[in-house]
Structure formats: structure tokens, C-alpha cells
Amino acid sequence: MAKFLMIGGSLGGQILEKPYPREVIHEIDNNINIGPKSEAAQKLEISTIETYYVHYAYFEGKFYLYASMDDLKVEKVNALIKTSGLEALK
């Protein structure tokens, strides 16, 4: 098991522990309720899927895993790793 810093989406800022190696992490339980203009009409519920792509960063002499929905600059990733308390990959 390895710890991943999640960047962006509903999991942003969380550290998840997942089997490694892997290429993607999906978040499926994020539901959106769409309410109609009339309260008498039935509400529609849609499940959304967020896809995070797994990357690694070499920062301060150690490797860290993170998963992001977007491409990020190295400087931003390093700053997020530093403030998150994420443990290095062993």
C-alpha cells in the first residue's frame, strides 16, 4: 500500500492509501441532485465520476505519489506535498 496526495476535485487535499502501482483513481460516490423548478416534479439524481491520474514527484531527495485531475507545474506539486504532510514512497 502507498499513500497518495489527491489534488483537485472532491478529494483535493486528502491523502489516500491505495495499492501501488496504479495509473488512475476513480471517485464515483459524488452525487449531484438536480431539482426541478416545480417541487411537485420528481428530483433527478446523477452520479459523477472523477478521474485522477497518478504521478510521482521527486522532491527534496525523495519520491512522493500524487493523483491529479489536471496537469500541474512541478513547483505547485512540490508546494502541495510540502504542506500536506504526505509521507515519501518507501
Side-chain angles (χ1 to χ4, degrees):
M1 299 291 270
K3 293 185 179 182
F4 295 81
L5 173 62
M6 305 302 290
I7 301 174
S10 65
L11 298 176
Q14 295 183 39
I15 296 174
L16 300 183
E17 194 166 357
K18 300 279 185 185
Y20 183 75
R22 63 186 308 137
E23 294 177 2
V24 295
I25 296 173
H26 297 287
E27 167 62 20
I28 301 174
D29 298 325
N30 185 13
N31 291 323
I32 298 173
N33 291 317
I34 300 173
K37 291 182 180 179
S38 167
E39 288 188 32
Q42 189 176 10
K43 286 189 175 182
L44 177 64
E45 189 172 288
I46 299 174
S47 292
T48 60
I49 299 174
E50 296 176 341
T51 301
Y52 295 82
Y53 295 93
V54 173
H55 306 276
Y56 70 88
Y58 186 71
F59 176 63
E60 295 183 346
K62 298 179 181 174
F63 285 99
Y64 296 86
L65 295 174
Y66 70 95
S68 174
M69 298 176 73
D70 301 312
D71 288 331
L72 301 171
K73 294 189 178 202
V74 172
E75 295 81 12
K76 182 173 183 175
V77 172
N78 291 347
L80 291 170
I81 288 170
K82 188 173 184 176
T83 60
S84 72
L86 178 67
E87 295 175 13
L89 186 61
K90 295 179 181 179

